[in-house]
Amino acid sequence: MEKNITLSANSLFAAGLVNTVVNFVAGLRSVFSMPFEALRRYYSHVLERELNRRQTWLLVHAQVAFLFAAFACGGALLLRLAFCVWFLLAVLQCKRALA
């Protein structure tokens, strides 16, 4: 028994469309990760050791926590205390990850 497969133009178009979308998303991902990679290389240069993505995210996290803790002067005392605890925990995570 002979087995024949017929491909219609619609299925070929759909396969091409899927490949185009996948390539487009991969291109967007590389474009949006470029600033982060530059920041990772900068931190690696400053610390004189190679950092991975997780370590870089932890450093950014600690910086954001510091900004919230330092500039929460108009908030309630409990809120400022929470920001300080957040900053302390972020710094401890960085210490563990970079040790």
Side-chain angles (χ1 to χ4, degrees), residues 16-86:
L17 184 63
V18 167
N19 285 337
T20 304
V21 169
V22 167
N23 290 338
F24 179 72
V25 169
L28 278 178
R29 182 176 181 198
S30 68
V31 166
F32 285 120
S33 69
M34 284 173 52
F36 183 76
E37 283 299 315
L39 186 64
R40 186 189 63 77
R41 285 192 307 271
Y42 172 73
Y43 285 156
S44 295
H45 177 72
V46 168
L47 295 174
E48 296 178 348
R49 61 183 279 190
E50 193 64 28
L51 297 179
N52 59 26
R53 288 178 179 244
R54 182 177 184 276
Q55 292 168 332
T56 305
W57 275 118
L58 287 173
L59 286 171
V60 170
H61 178 232
Q63 288 177 340
V64 169
F66 172 76
L67 288 174
F68 273 79
F71 295 115
C73 37
L77 183 61
L78 188 59
L79 183 65
R80 286 186 275 178
L81 181 64
F83 285 148
C84 288
V85 169
W86 178 32

